[in-house]
Each structure stands twice: as structure tokens, then as C-alpha cells.
Amino acid sequence: MTTNLGRGGSDYTASILAAELGADELEIWTDVDGFMTADPRVIPTAYTIDSLTYSEAMDLCNFGAKVIYPPTIYPVCVKNIPIRIKNTFHPDAKGSTIRQDVPPSAQPIRGISSIKETSMVTVSGLSMVGVIGVNRRIFTTLANEGISVFMVAQTSSETSTSICMTEADARRACNALDREFANEIADGAMYPAQLDNGLATVAVVGERMKHTPGIAGRLFGVLGRNGISVIALAQGALETNLSFVIDRKQLRKALNVIHDSCFLSTYQELNLFVCGTGTVGGSLLRQIASQRKRLMDERGLKINLVGVASSHKAAFNDEGIDPATYGEAMEAGGPGGAERLRREILDMNIFNSVFVDCTASPEIAALYPTLLEHNVSVVAANKIAASSSYENYARLKQTARERGVKFLFETNVGAGLPIINTINDLINSGDRILCIEAVLSGTLNYVFNTLSAEVPLSRAVRMAQQNGYSEPDPRIDLSGQDVVRKLVILARESGYHVEADDIEKDLFVPDNILGGTLDTFWDRLPSLDAQFETDRQRLAHEQKRWRFVAEWRNGKGRVGLREIPLGHPFYDLAGSNNIILLTTERYREYPMLIQGYGAGADVTAAGVFADIMSVANI
């Protein structure tokens, strides 16, 4: 009888002939370079696998890697004949070799494959527990219907069995199973078959997974941190194939994050959304542009700028935006604003995402809960969230912990100085913060260091603004509000429950000058110059200097202008520097001192960059 061998017939015929002839090797010429670590249409960084075992090739083929017809492998496998895959259109490519004696791969995972169109049928019921023959009836019924199954997952309690198949077969499978178990369903001992559509199946394959601890933990950990829920999973005792079912909408993200985290990618990737392109944001983007190649070459980290936004303009591209020319992308990218930013980040649903806030906007800070809940890490130069109500601060920290992502805000205090990280290290190692004394406003320190007979207060404040040390509205600095926020953040990170209103304020600029419009403020500020000059001369005679000091002691906080005598650590604080003294149970007699630049776009941007590196864990 003459018959058509169907799909893969030529491959299968060649395999049979090679086996019968005892060939040294079977060559299969096709339209791809060989087996890839993943689908290159989804993961551009996927690369050709040089060699893999027969079982690895079979697993990858069965789960969607359409390189060769799966039955082709068996005839030559039993004769231990290697298969070489070559590309007809790219004959110089090395291709992939399938053989038994494959050198161990550098990584435990050889490749990732997936089936996009997956339906899952679940048969369940309390009467299934301990009953012999239930699964036989399930699979006999499906076989009689000509339905092929590619994954099975059963609970250890035997109360349910889930079967994965193509969507074309799923409804027919449900109907057949309901007929088979009609009596049990009528009695309430079993439930009607449950059908779940819109799913995808992912298979992680590799011989080195066998007896290698931690593979599953690492895999599911990274999926969880990226907000990808596993619906069902299966792994045989051979430990060479770990398969799981997820929502189809998450497939692209899942494949990318697995490929990246399991070292199948050349680089670990971090996808950034940067909001705010002013002095700090602009400096950060320049630093990223200048350091990007070095990080790839020396640290194996690839930073992708996938979104950049201001209040008026924004650009988004999941393939990346050149940080050196982000301005051009924003011009062509459409309107900005918080709502578009939120929508684009959630819709793009990119793996290993980090939102970087270089603004001082309450609207942008209000996005943090939503982003963290969707497994997007947040790096904030914006102080508003961490200094908002304690309830909101605690909720953000808790959400980040629960979602396995980061909420980092080192630059909220001291620009690039490692103040918050140091406090966290002390607390986490069992120390307790007893007292905090600090000069935390680079702006005010610059102002008081600039005062002289030739430079009155009003001129010094204007210079601080022009040199980028102050906020665009310097009243935020002069009112002490900025220092209050910083002290609140430090106290909270030290383990204290404190609100901004709990901080006592001793201010040096009257409310009648701080009130009104910004123009009115500039008009009124010179009225303080004469008194400040008189007091400055007195301080110089007494060998004292002004410092705006934040203090946390005995569970209470205060900020205010203090006269610092010669010999005090704060006396010689230069320029816009910050300084902090931490008295702890371990550092009681000699407090820990941290000092350095506390303001300026470049150092603040560098601190933000350092937080981004902390998210990457390098």
C-alpha cells in the first residue's frame, strides 16, 4: 500500500535510511541555523545551541521548537548516530549537533521552548482520592477521541488532574470526559470538567538540571518577582524538563526573564523607565550613556532605556531608546504626563522593569503603589513618597517585600552619600540608632558658607538657585520643609514611627516672606539682609558659624538654625556638603560620621545610578 508520510516525511525517511545503512552521521538541511536557546522572534539575543542530547532535542521539539520532525530522532538515536542540523540558506553556519555524548553545558539549562496556544482541562472531585483507574479512564477517553496530550499535572492528594492540549481539542475533550464520568458528576462525587483557555506552556530543558539543587527555586523566584503566576507545572523524575503553564499574555515576558536570569543570555538585562529629564534626570541619562558599554563588557549588565518622560513629552520603545539622543525620541514620542506613563508601563509589561523618578512631583509619586503591585521596582530621587504619611511609607515598603521587587530612595537624603544604606546595614545587623545629628541641606549649607560682607543673604540664595543647589523654588529649602522630610525618612529607616508634623521647626525666614508668589518672595527677601549681616559679624567674632541642623534624639526630632562653635564637626563643613553623625549602641562613644557632597545634579544622579545597580544586584 502506498501512503503519504505527511509532515516531516523527508526527515523521517532520511533517519530510517541512516539507521539501516549504519551511517556515520545524519544531516538535516532546513531553513534555520539549528536549535536556538529560545525563539529568536521573541528573544533577539537567543543563540544557536552547538550540541545537545537526543532527549534534550526531543523535549524542545515536543514543546514548539519546530527544527526537525520529532519522530526523526528515534531511528538514529537507538543506533547512536549523530544528527547535524544545517541551514540551506546559510550553509556556512556551524549548525547544531544532536548526539548522546554531549559535553556538559556551561549552564544547567540548554534551551527554552513554548507552546503558545494551550488549553487546560481539569478533572476533579473528592471521590478521586485513592480510587484505582480514574486516570486510566481519563486517558482512555481522550485516546478514543484521538486527542493528544502534551502535559499532565496531578495534585498529590489525587483530587484533580489537569491535562494540557491544543485549543482545537479542548472543548471536545471536556464533552467526552463529562460523558465518561456522567454518573459520578450526577452523584456530586466529581465535578464537570473545567476548561481554561488563553494559556501558554513553557518548557525549560537541560540535562544538567538533573541533581542540580536550586534550579526550580531560581526559576519560580524570578517569575514571581516579575509578577508571572504559574498555573500548573510538571517535572518528571529524570529532571531534564521542567514544564509549566502561565497566562498567554505573560508568555513573552516569561521567556525573556527566564532566558535572562538563567544565564542563557550574554547579558543580564534591566529595562528602565526614567521620569524627569531636568538637571538630575538629564545627568543620569548622560551617565547611563557613558557607562553602558563598560557595564556590558565588565559586568555583563545591559541597561535598556525603554521609556523616558517629562510632564509634557514622552517616548516608549520596548526595543530600547538611545540614552544619548533621548531628547529626539521624546520630541517624536507624543505627550507626557502621569497617566500616560502609568498606562504605557503596565501595557508594555516588560521583564526586569525599573521605574526611576527624578522629579519632585506628587502625581508621579502617587504611581508607586500601582507600579510596585505590578512588580516594577522603583528608584526614587523624589522625596515625597518616603516622607508622606507613615501608613503610605510602610505600605510601599511592604508591597515591595511581598512582590520581591525593590523600593530604593538613597538619594532622598545626602544625594549620593551612603546614608540610608548605612543605617539599613546597622539595623539589619542588630544595632540600634540612638541619635541622629546632621546638616542635610546642601542648599542651606551653601548659602551660609557663601554669606560675606559682599554677598548678603538674598544674593547667596539667588546664587544657590542659579548653581543648581536649590529647588527651582528655593522657599522649599528655606522653609525647612526639605530638611524635615529628610529627617523623617532617616528616623523611619532607623525604625521609628514618625510623621512630618511631629518634627519641631525653628525657622529663620518669617512666614510673611515665604508666603505669596515666588516673585513676591524675591522682592521681600532683601529685607533680611541687614540683620543677617549684623549677626554674621557677631558670629565671626565669636568664632562660630551658622548651620541648619536636623536632630533626632530620645524619639523626638527637631530642625533649626544653630550657632556651631569652632572645633565642632559641623564647623568646617564646606560648600554644599552634608554631614551626619550616627550615635548607636555600638557607636556610642565615637559616633559614626558620614560627610561629602550633599547637593548637585551629578552626585545625585550618581546616587540614583547606584540604586539602579542595587536592583540589578551587581
Side-chain angles (χ1 to χ4, degrees), residues 267 269-272 285-306 319-324 609 613:
Y267 307 107
E269 296 192 37
L270 212 59
N271 295 300
L272 303 188
L285 290 166
R286 288 190 294 273
Q287 290 180 25
I288 290 172
S290 67
Q291 295 297 314
R292 194 163 178 265
K293 186 177 186 304
R294 183 188 67 82
L295 289 171
M296 291 171 66
D297 294 342
E298 298 180 11
R299 298 298 186 92
L301 176 67
K302 183 180 180 184
I303 295 180
N304 301 317
L305 179 65
V306 294
E319 295 183 359
I321 299 167
D322 186 349
F609 206 160
M613 294 299 99

PDB file of all heavy atoms in Angstrom, residues 267 269-272 285-306 319-324 609 613:
ATOM      1  N   TYR A 267      23.988  38.841  28.357  1.00  0.00           N
ATOM      2  CA  TYR A 267      23.921  39.896  29.360  1.00  0.00           C
ATOM      3  C   TYR A 267      22.685  39.727  30.233  1.00  0.00           C
ATOM      4  O   TYR A 267      21.652  39.225  29.792  1.00  0.00           O
ATOM      5  CB  TYR A 267      23.837  41.278  28.692  1.00  0.00           C
ATOM      6  CG  TYR A 267      24.915  41.555  27.691  1.00  0.00           C
ATOM      7  CD1 TYR A 267      24.640  41.565  26.325  1.00  0.00           C
ATOM      8  CD2 TYR A 267      26.218  41.815  28.100  1.00  0.00           C
ATOM      9  CE1 TYR A 267      25.628  41.824  25.397  1.00  0.00           C
ATOM     10  CE2 TYR A 267      27.218  42.069  27.178  1.00  0.00           C
ATOM     11  CZ  TYR A 267      26.917  42.073  25.827  1.00  0.00           C
ATOM     12  OH  TYR A 267      27.903  42.325  24.912  1.00  0.00           O
ATOM     13  N   GLU A 269      19.730  41.765  31.672  1.00  0.00           N
ATOM     14  CA  GLU A 269      19.112  42.992  31.174  1.00  0.00           C
ATOM     15  C   GLU A 269      18.275  43.661  32.251  1.00  0.00           C
ATOM     16  O   GLU A 269      17.621  43.000  33.055  1.00  0.00           O
ATOM     17  CB  GLU A 269      18.244  42.698  29.943  1.00  0.00           C
ATOM     18  CG  GLU A 269      19.048  42.193  28.757  1.00  0.00           C
ATOM     19  CD  GLU A 269      18.248  42.171  27.468  1.00  0.00           C
ATOM     20  OE1 GLU A 269      17.432  43.094  27.274  1.00  0.00           O
ATOM     21  OE2 GLU A 269      18.443  41.248  26.672  1.00  0.00           O
ATOM     22  N   LEU A 270      18.310  44.993  32.239  1.00  0.00           N
ATOM     23  CA  LEU A 270      17.500  45.814  33.125  1.00  0.00           C
ATOM     24  C   LEU A 270      16.810  46.852  32.250  1.00  0.00           C
ATOM     25  O   LEU A 270      17.466  47.542  31.466  1.00  0.00           O
ATOM     26  CB  LEU A 270      18.391  46.498  34.166  1.00  0.00           C
ATOM     27  CG  LEU A 270      17.801  46.771  35.550  1.00  0.00           C
ATOM     28  CD1 LEU A 270      17.345  45.472  36.205  1.00  0.00           C
ATOM     29  CD2 LEU A 270      18.828  47.454  36.433  1.00  0.00           C
ATOM     30  N   ASN A 271      15.496  46.934  32.354  1.00  0.00           N
ATOM     31  CA  ASN A 271      14.719  47.823  31.494  1.00  0.00           C
ATOM     32  C   ASN A 271      14.224  49.022  32.295  1.00  0.00           C
ATOM     33  O   ASN A 271      13.443  48.865  33.238  1.00  0.00           O
ATOM     34  CB  ASN A 271      13.542  47.056  30.884  1.00  0.00           C
ATOM     35  CG  ASN A 271      14.009  45.958  29.952  1.00  0.00           C
ATOM     36  OD1 ASN A 271      14.678  46.218  28.963  1.00  0.00           O
ATOM     37  ND2 ASN A 271      13.678  44.714  30.268  1.00  0.00           N
ATOM     38  N   LEU A 272      14.692  50.209  31.920  1.00  0.00           N
ATOM     39  CA  LEU A 272      14.435  51.422  32.698  1.00  0.00           C
ATOM     40  C   LEU A 272      13.361  52.300  32.070  1.00  0.00           C
ATOM     41  O   LEU A 272      13.345  52.526  30.858  1.00  0.00           O
ATOM     42  CB  LEU A 272      15.708  52.262  32.825  1.00  0.00           C
ATOM     43  CG  LEU A 272      16.954  51.642  33.444  1.00  0.00           C
ATOM     44  CD1 LEU A 272      18.011  52.722  33.635  1.00  0.00           C
ATOM     45  CD2 LEU A 272      16.645  50.958  34.752  1.00  0.00           C
ATOM     46  N   LEU A 285      20.850  60.246  32.612  1.00  0.00           N
ATOM     47  CA  LEU A 285      20.829  59.681  31.263  1.00  0.00           C
ATOM     48  C   LEU A 285      22.188  59.810  30.590  1.00  0.00           C
ATOM     49  O   LEU A 285      22.616  58.907  29.858  1.00  0.00           O
ATOM     50  CB  LEU A 285      19.738  60.359  30.436  1.00  0.00           C
ATOM     51  CG  LEU A 285      18.305  60.002  30.873  1.00  0.00           C
ATOM     52  CD1 LEU A 285      17.299  60.954  30.248  1.00  0.00           C
ATOM     53  CD2 LEU A 285      17.972  58.562  30.513  1.00  0.00           C
ATOM     54  N   ARG A 286      22.887  60.904  30.848  1.00  0.00           N
ATOM     55  CA  ARG A 286      24.245  61.045  30.298  1.00  0.00           C
ATOM     56  C   ARG A 286      25.189  60.019  30.923  1.00  0.00           C
ATOM     57  O   ARG A 286      26.046  59.439  30.238  1.00  0.00           O
ATOM     58  CB  ARG A 286      24.758  62.468  30.528  1.00  0.00           C
ATOM     59  CG  ARG A 286      24.090  63.520  29.645  1.00  0.00           C
ATOM     60  CD  ARG A 286      24.801  64.858  29.734  1.00  0.00           C
ATOM     61  NE  ARG A 286      24.688  65.457  31.055  1.00  0.00           N
ATOM     62  CZ  ARG A 286      23.677  66.227  31.451  1.00  0.00           C
ATOM     63  NH1 ARG A 286      22.665  66.478  30.630  1.00  0.00           N
ATOM     64  NH2 ARG A 286      23.658  66.746  32.668  1.00  0.00           N
ATOM     65  N   GLN A 287      25.049  59.786  32.220  1.00  0.00           N
ATOM     66  CA  GLN A 287      25.897  58.794  32.883  1.00  0.00           C
ATOM     67  C   GLN A 287      25.614  57.393  32.361  1.00  0.00           C
ATOM     68  O   GLN A 287      26.533  56.593  32.150  1.00  0.00           O
ATOM     69  CB  GLN A 287      25.687  58.860  34.399  1.00  0.00           C
ATOM     70  CG  GLN A 287      26.237  60.127  35.038  1.00  0.00           C
ATOM     71  CD  GLN A 287      26.008  60.168  36.540  1.00  0.00           C
ATOM     72  OE1 GLN A 287      25.868  59.138  37.190  1.00  0.00           O
ATOM     73  NE2 GLN A 287      25.969  61.374  37.100  1.00  0.00           N
ATOM     74  N   ILE A 288      24.345  57.080  32.137  1.00  0.00           N
ATOM     75  CA  ILE A 288      23.995  55.768  31.587  1.00  0.00           C
ATOM     76  C   ILE A 288      24.599  55.606  30.194  1.00  0.00           C
ATOM     77  O   ILE A 288      25.164  54.554  29.860  1.00  0.00           O
ATOM     78  CB  ILE A 288      22.466  55.596  31.539  1.00  0.00           C
ATOM     79  CG1 ILE A 288      21.902  55.465  32.961  1.00  0.00           C
ATOM     80  CG2 ILE A 288      22.078  54.376  30.701  1.00  0.00           C
ATOM     81  CD1 ILE A 288      20.390  55.473  33.030  1.00  0.00           C
ATOM     82  N   ALA A 289      24.490  56.654  29.375  1.00  0.00           N
ATOM     83  CA  ALA A 289      25.042  56.589  28.017  1.00  0.00           C
ATOM     84  C   ALA A 289      26.546  56.348  28.043  1.00  0.00           C
ATOM     85  O   ALA A 289      27.080  55.566  27.243  1.00  0.00           O
ATOM     86  CB  ALA A 289      24.712  57.879  27.264  1.00  0.00           C
ATOM     87  N   SER A 290      27.245  56.990  28.982  1.00  0.00           N
ATOM     88  CA  SER A 290      28.705  56.871  29.021  1.00  0.00           C
ATOM     89  C   SER A 290      29.170  55.558  29.644  1.00  0.00           C
ATOM     90  O   SER A 290      30.259  55.068  29.329  1.00  0.00           O
ATOM     91  CB  SER A 290      29.309  58.052  29.788  1.00  0.00           C
ATOM     92  OG  SER A 290      28.948  58.001  31.160  1.00  0.00           O
ATOM     93  N   GLN A 291      28.355  54.964  30.538  1.00  0.00           N
ATOM     94  CA  GLN A 291      28.771  53.758  31.251  1.00  0.00           C
ATOM     95  C   GLN A 291      28.192  52.469  30.669  1.00  0.00           C
ATOM     96  O   GLN A 291      28.579  51.374  31.080  1.00  0.00           O
ATOM     97  CB  GLN A 291      28.344  53.855  32.723  1.00  0.00           C
ATOM     98  CG  GLN A 291      29.032  54.956  33.499  1.00  0.00           C
ATOM     99  CD  GLN A 291      30.527  54.736  33.579  1.00  0.00           C
ATOM    100  OE1 GLN A 291      30.995  53.640  33.858  1.00  0.00           O
ATOM    101  NE2 GLN A 291      31.291  55.788  33.318  1.00  0.00           N
ATOM    102  N   ARG A 292      27.293  52.589  29.720  1.00  0.00           N
ATOM    103  CA  ARG A 292      26.546  51.420  29.246  1.00  0.00           C
ATOM    104  C   ARG A 292      27.461  50.336  28.680  1.00  0.00           C
ATOM    105  O   ARG A 292      27.328  49.153  29.014  1.00  0.00           O
ATOM    106  CB  ARG A 292      25.538  51.879  28.192  1.00  0.00           C
ATOM    107  CG  ARG A 292      24.472  50.871  27.845  1.00  0.00           C
ATOM    108  CD  ARG A 292      23.319  51.558  27.123  1.00  0.00           C
ATOM    109  NE  ARG A 292      22.306  50.595  26.726  1.00  0.00           N
ATOM    110  CZ  ARG A 292      22.242  50.033  25.535  1.00  0.00           C
ATOM    111  NH1 ARG A 292      23.133  50.354  24.609  1.00  0.00           N
ATOM    112  NH2 ARG A 292      21.300  49.164  25.241  1.00  0.00           N
ATOM    113  N   LYS A 293      28.399  50.712  27.837  1.00  0.00           N
ATOM    114  CA  LYS A 293      29.278  49.715  27.220  1.00  0.00           C
ATOM    115  C   LYS A 293      30.178  49.058  28.265  1.00  0.00           C
ATOM    116  O   LYS A 293      30.405  47.842  28.235  1.00  0.00           O
ATOM    117  CB  LYS A 293      30.123  50.351  26.121  1.00  0.00           C
ATOM    118  CG  LYS A 293      30.961  49.332  25.337  1.00  0.00           C
ATOM    119  CD  LYS A 293      31.727  49.981  24.209  1.00  0.00           C
ATOM    120  CE  LYS A 293      32.440  48.930  23.356  1.00  0.00           C
ATOM    121  NZ  LYS A 293      33.326  48.068  24.160  1.00  0.00           N
ATOM    122  N   ARG A 294      30.700  49.852  29.203  1.00  0.00           N
ATOM    123  CA  ARG A 294      31.571  49.289  30.237  1.00  0.00           C
ATOM    124  C   ARG A 294      30.817  48.270  31.080  1.00  0.00           C
ATOM    125  O   ARG A 294      31.349  47.202  31.414  1.00  0.00           O
ATOM    126  CB  ARG A 294      32.119  50.402  31.131  1.00  0.00           C
ATOM    127  CG  ARG A 294      33.106  49.901  32.189  1.00  0.00           C
ATOM    128  CD  ARG A 294      33.488  50.989  33.169  1.00  0.00           C
ATOM    129  NE  ARG A 294      32.365  51.391  33.999  1.00  0.00           N
ATOM    130  CZ  ARG A 294      31.973  50.721  35.088  1.00  0.00           C
ATOM    131  NH1 ARG A 294      32.606  49.618  35.455  1.00  0.00           N
ATOM    132  NH2 ARG A 294      30.963  51.156  35.802  1.00  0.00           N
ATOM    133  N   LEU A 295      29.573  48.572  31.425  1.00  0.00           N
ATOM    134  CA  LEU A 295      28.784  47.643  32.220  1.00  0.00           C
ATOM    135  C   LEU A 295      28.520  46.350  31.459  1.00  0.00           C
ATOM    136  O   LEU A 295      28.513  45.261  32.041  1.00  0.00           O
ATOM    137  CB  LEU A 295      27.458  48.294  32.630  1.00  0.00           C
ATOM    138  CG  LEU A 295      27.564  49.407  33.674  1.00  0.00           C
ATOM    139  CD1 LEU A 295      26.228  50.118  33.838  1.00  0.00           C
ATOM    140  CD2 LEU A 295      28.028  48.849  35.013  1.00  0.00           C
ATOM    141  N   MET A 296      28.312  46.454  30.159  1.00  0.00           N
ATOM    142  CA  MET A 296      28.110  45.250  29.355  1.00  0.00           C
ATOM    143  C   MET A 296      29.385  44.421  29.296  1.00  0.00           C
ATOM    144  O   MET A 296      29.354  43.196  29.471  1.00  0.00           O
ATOM    145  CB  MET A 296      27.657  45.636  27.943  1.00  0.00           C
ATOM    146  CG  MET A 296      26.251  46.223  27.887  1.00  0.00           C
ATOM    147  SD  MET A 296      25.827  46.922  26.267  1.00  0.00           S
ATOM    148  CE  MET A 296      25.811  45.453  25.252  1.00  0.00           C
ATOM    149  N   ASP A 297      30.519  45.081  29.069  1.00  0.00           N
ATOM    150  CA  ASP A 297      31.784  44.366  28.897  1.00  0.00           C
ATOM    151  C   ASP A 297      32.317  43.796  30.209  1.00  0.00           C
ATOM    152  O   ASP A 297      32.817  42.666  30.252  1.00  0.00           O
ATOM    153  CB  ASP A 297      32.837  45.298  28.290  1.00  0.00           C
ATOM    154  CG  ASP A 297      32.499  45.712  26.867  1.00  0.00           C
ATOM    155  OD1 ASP A 297      31.659  45.031  26.242  1.00  0.00           O
ATOM    156  OD2 ASP A 297      33.060  46.716  26.391  1.00  0.00           O
ATOM    157  N   GLU A 298      32.210  44.577  31.292  1.00  0.00           N
ATOM    158  CA  GLU A 298      32.854  44.192  32.547  1.00  0.00           C
ATOM    159  C   GLU A 298      31.913  43.529  33.543  1.00  0.00           C
ATOM    160  O   GLU A 298      32.345  42.729  34.368  1.00  0.00           O
ATOM    161  CB  GLU A 298      33.490  45.425  33.202  1.00  0.00           C
ATOM    162  CG  GLU A 298      34.590  46.065  32.357  1.00  0.00           C
ATOM    163  CD  GLU A 298      35.203  47.279  33.029  1.00  0.00           C
ATOM    164  OE1 GLU A 298      34.913  47.497  34.235  1.00  0.00           O
ATOM    165  OE2 GLU A 298      35.957  48.016  32.370  1.00  0.00           O
ATOM    166  N   ARG A 299      30.628  43.866  33.502  1.00  0.00           N
ATOM    167  CA  ARG A 299      29.686  43.343  34.486  1.00  0.00           C
ATOM    168  C   ARG A 299      28.603  42.461  33.876  1.00  0.00           C
ATOM    169  O   ARG A 299      27.793  41.906  34.613  1.00  0.00           O
ATOM    170  CB  ARG A 299      29.025  44.502  35.246  1.00  0.00           C
ATOM    171  CG  ARG A 299      29.996  45.363  36.040  1.00  0.00           C
ATOM    172  CD  ARG A 299      30.708  44.552  37.111  1.00  0.00           C
ATOM    173  NE  ARG A 299      31.538  45.368  37.973  1.00  0.00           N
ATOM    174  CZ  ARG A 299      31.142  45.903  39.119  1.00  0.00           C
ATOM    175  NH1 ARG A 299      29.902  45.742  39.522  1.00  0.00           N
ATOM    176  NH2 ARG A 299      31.971  46.611  39.856  1.00  0.00           N
ATOM    177  N   GLY A 300      28.563  42.362  32.558  1.00  0.00           N
ATOM    178  CA  GLY A 300      27.535  41.549  31.927  1.00  0.00           C
ATOM    179  C   GLY A 300      26.139  42.094  32.128  1.00  0.00           C
ATOM    180  O   GLY A 300      25.162  41.340  32.125  1.00  0.00           O
ATOM    181  N   LEU A 301      26.023  43.409  32.307  1.00  0.00           N
ATOM    182  CA  LEU A 301      24.725  44.050  32.528  1.00  0.00           C
ATOM    183  C   LEU A 301      24.400  44.958  31.351  1.00  0.00           C
ATOM    184  O   LEU A 301      25.186  45.837  30.994  1.00  0.00           O
ATOM    185  CB  LEU A 301      24.738  44.871  33.820  1.00  0.00           C
ATOM    186  CG  LEU A 301      23.456  45.674  34.097  1.00  0.00           C
ATOM    187  CD1 LEU A 301      22.288  44.739  34.377  1.00  0.00           C
ATOM    188  CD2 LEU A 301      23.657  46.636  35.263  1.00  0.00           C
ATOM    189  N   LYS A 302      23.242  44.745  30.777  1.00  0.00           N
ATOM    190  CA  LYS A 302      22.782  45.588  29.674  1.00  0.00           C
ATOM    191  C   LYS A 302      21.606  46.426  30.159  1.00  0.00           C
ATOM    192  O   LYS A 302      20.557  45.894  30.517  1.00  0.00           O
ATOM    193  CB  LYS A 302      22.359  44.728  28.483  1.00  0.00           C
ATOM    194  CG  LYS A 302      21.936  45.540  27.263  1.00  0.00           C
ATOM    195  CD  LYS A 302      21.520  44.624  26.124  1.00  0.00           C
ATOM    196  CE  LYS A 302      21.102  45.433  24.900  1.00  0.00           C
ATOM    197  NZ  LYS A 302      20.615  44.557  23.810  1.00  0.00           N
ATOM    198  N   ILE A 303      21.803  47.737  30.188  1.00  0.00           N
ATOM    199  CA  ILE A 303      20.742  48.650  30.607  1.00  0.00           C
ATOM    200  C   ILE A 303      20.005  49.144  29.372  1.00  0.00           C
ATOM    201  O   ILE A 303      20.600  49.754  28.484  1.00  0.00           O
ATOM    202  CB  ILE A 303      21.314  49.838  31.403  1.00  0.00           C
ATOM    203  CG1 ILE A 303      21.934  49.344  32.709  1.00  0.00           C
ATOM    204  CG2 ILE A 303      20.232  50.862  31.690  1.00  0.00           C
ATOM    205  CD1 ILE A 303      22.529  50.448  33.552  1.00  0.00           C
ATOM    206  N   ASN A 304      18.716  48.858  29.331  1.00  0.00           N
ATOM    207  CA  ASN A 304      17.878  49.303  28.218  1.00  0.00           C
ATOM    208  C   ASN A 304      16.976  50.438  28.693  1.00  0.00           C
ATOM    209  O   ASN A 304      16.207  50.261  29.644  1.00  0.00           O
ATOM    210  CB  ASN A 304      17.005  48.158  27.703  1.00  0.00           C
ATOM    211  CG  ASN A 304      17.805  46.973  27.231  1.00  0.00           C
ATOM    212  OD1 ASN A 304      18.812  47.130  26.558  1.00  0.00           O
ATOM    213  ND2 ASN A 304      17.368  45.778  27.586  1.00  0.00           N
ATOM    214  N   LEU A 305      17.078  51.578  28.052  1.00  0.00           N
ATOM    215  CA  LEU A 305      16.147  52.672  28.314  1.00  0.00           C
ATOM    216  C   LEU A 305      14.927  52.430  27.436  1.00  0.00           C
ATOM    217  O   LEU A 305      14.980  52.615  26.224  1.00  0.00           O
ATOM    218  CB  LEU A 305      16.803  54.019  27.988  1.00  0.00           C
ATOM    219  CG  LEU A 305      15.927  55.260  28.188  1.00  0.00           C
ATOM    220  CD1 LEU A 305      15.583  55.447  29.660  1.00  0.00           C
ATOM    221  CD2 LEU A 305      16.625  56.502  27.637  1.00  0.00           C
ATOM    222  N   VAL A 306      13.826  51.994  28.042  1.00  0.00           N
ATOM    223  CA  VAL A 306      12.635  51.650  27.258  1.00  0.00           C
ATOM    224  C   VAL A 306      11.540  52.709  27.384  1.00  0.00           C
ATOM    225  O   VAL A 306      10.520  52.632  26.692  1.00  0.00           O
ATOM    226  CB  VAL A 306      12.079  50.275  27.669  1.00  0.00           C
ATOM    227  CG1 VAL A 306      13.062  49.176  27.301  1.00  0.00           C
ATOM    228  CG2 VAL A 306      11.758  50.231  29.157  1.00  0.00           C
ATOM    229  N   GLU A 319      12.159  48.039  22.378  1.00  0.00           N
ATOM    230  CA  GLU A 319      13.442  47.643  21.796  1.00  0.00           C
ATOM    231  C   GLU A 319      14.574  48.576  22.223  1.00  0.00           C
ATOM    232  O   GLU A 319      15.735  48.334  21.888  1.00  0.00           O
ATOM    233  CB  GLU A 319      13.335  47.613  20.275  1.00  0.00           C
ATOM    234  CG  GLU A 319      12.376  46.538  19.764  1.00  0.00           C
ATOM    235  CD  GLU A 319      12.339  46.471  18.254  1.00  0.00           C
ATOM    236  OE1 GLU A 319      13.051  47.275  17.600  1.00  0.00           O
ATOM    237  OE2 GLU A 319      11.604  45.623  17.727  1.00  0.00           O
ATOM    238  N   GLY A 320      14.239  49.632  22.954  1.00  0.00           N
ATOM    239  CA  GLY A 320      15.267  50.500  23.513  1.00  0.00           C
ATOM    240  C   GLY A 320      15.327  51.872  22.868  1.00  0.00           C
ATOM    241  O   GLY A 320      15.031  52.045  21.682  1.00  0.00           O
ATOM    242  N   ILE A 321      15.695  52.861  23.683  1.00  0.00           N
ATOM    243  CA  ILE A 321      15.898  54.242  23.253  1.00  0.00           C
ATOM    244  C   ILE A 321      17.344  54.602  23.570  1.00  0.00           C
ATOM    245  O   ILE A 321      17.826  54.327  24.672  1.00  0.00           O
ATOM    246  CB  ILE A 321      14.945  55.200  24.002  1.00  0.00           C
ATOM    247  CG1 ILE A 321      13.476  54.842  23.706  1.00  0.00           C
ATOM    248  CG2 ILE A 321      15.223  56.654  23.643  1.00  0.00           C
ATOM    249  CD1 ILE A 321      12.491  55.524  24.635  1.00  0.00           C
ATOM    250  N   ASP A 322      18.038  55.199  22.631  1.00  0.00           N
ATOM    251  CA  ASP A 322      19.428  55.591  22.859  1.00  0.00           C
ATOM    252  C   ASP A 322      19.465  56.694  23.917  1.00  0.00           C
ATOM    253  O   ASP A 322      18.919  57.780  23.697  1.00  0.00           O
ATOM    254  CB  ASP A 322      20.041  56.096  21.552  1.00  0.00           C
ATOM    255  CG  ASP A 322      21.540  56.387  21.684  1.00  0.00           C
ATOM    256  OD1 ASP A 322      22.050  56.399  22.823  1.00  0.00           O
ATOM    257  OD2 ASP A 322      22.183  56.609  20.645  1.00  0.00           O
ATOM    258  N   PRO A 323      20.089  56.446  25.088  1.00  0.00           N
ATOM    259  CA  PRO A 323      20.113  57.480  26.126  1.00  0.00           C
ATOM    260  C   PRO A 323      20.890  58.723  25.719  1.00  0.00           C
ATOM    261  O   PRO A 323      20.732  59.777  26.334  1.00  0.00           O
ATOM    262  CB  PRO A 323      20.774  56.775  27.319  1.00  0.00           C
ATOM    263  CG  PRO A 323      21.516  55.626  26.736  1.00  0.00           C
ATOM    264  CD  PRO A 323      20.749  55.204  25.526  1.00  0.00           C
ATOM    265  N   ALA A 324      21.718  58.607  24.688  1.00  0.00           N
ATOM    266  CA  ALA A 324      22.471  59.772  24.224  1.00  0.00           C
ATOM    267  C   ALA A 324      21.609  60.706  23.382  1.00  0.00           C
ATOM    268  O   ALA A 324      21.939  61.885  23.219  1.00  0.00           O
ATOM    269  CB  ALA A 324      23.693  59.323  23.422  1.00  0.00           C
ATOM    270  N   PHE A 609      21.944  56.197  40.084  1.00  0.00           N
ATOM    271  CA  PHE A 609      22.581  55.136  39.295  1.00  0.00           C
ATOM    272  C   PHE A 609      22.993  53.979  40.208  1.00  0.00           C
ATOM    273  O   PHE A 609      22.820  52.795  39.870  1.00  0.00           O
ATOM    274  CB  PHE A 609      23.797  55.710  38.570  1.00  0.00           C
ATOM    275  CG  PHE A 609      24.173  54.976  37.303  1.00  0.00           C
ATOM    276  CD1 PHE A 609      24.966  55.597  36.352  1.00  0.00           C
ATOM    277  CD2 PHE A 609      23.761  53.677  37.057  1.00  0.00           C
ATOM    278  CE1 PHE A 609      25.322  54.945  35.180  1.00  0.00           C
ATOM    279  CE2 PHE A 609      24.108  53.014  35.894  1.00  0.00           C
ATOM    280  CZ  PHE A 609      24.896  53.647  34.954  1.00  0.00           C
ATOM    281  N   MET A 613      21.908  49.994  40.155  1.00  0.00           N
ATOM    282  CA  MET A 613      22.818  48.852  40.236  1.00  0.00           C
ATOM    283  C   MET A 613      22.406  47.898  41.359  1.00  0.00           C
ATOM    284  O   MET A 613      22.568  46.679  41.245  1.00  0.00           O
ATOM    285  CB  MET A 613      24.255  49.333  40.476  1.00  0.00           C
ATOM    286  CG  MET A 613      24.874  50.123  39.332  1.00  0.00           C
ATOM    287  SD  MET A 613      25.006  49.182  37.799  1.00  0.00           S
ATOM    288  CE  MET A 613      23.551  49.783  36.948  1.00  0.00           C
TER     289      MET A 613
END
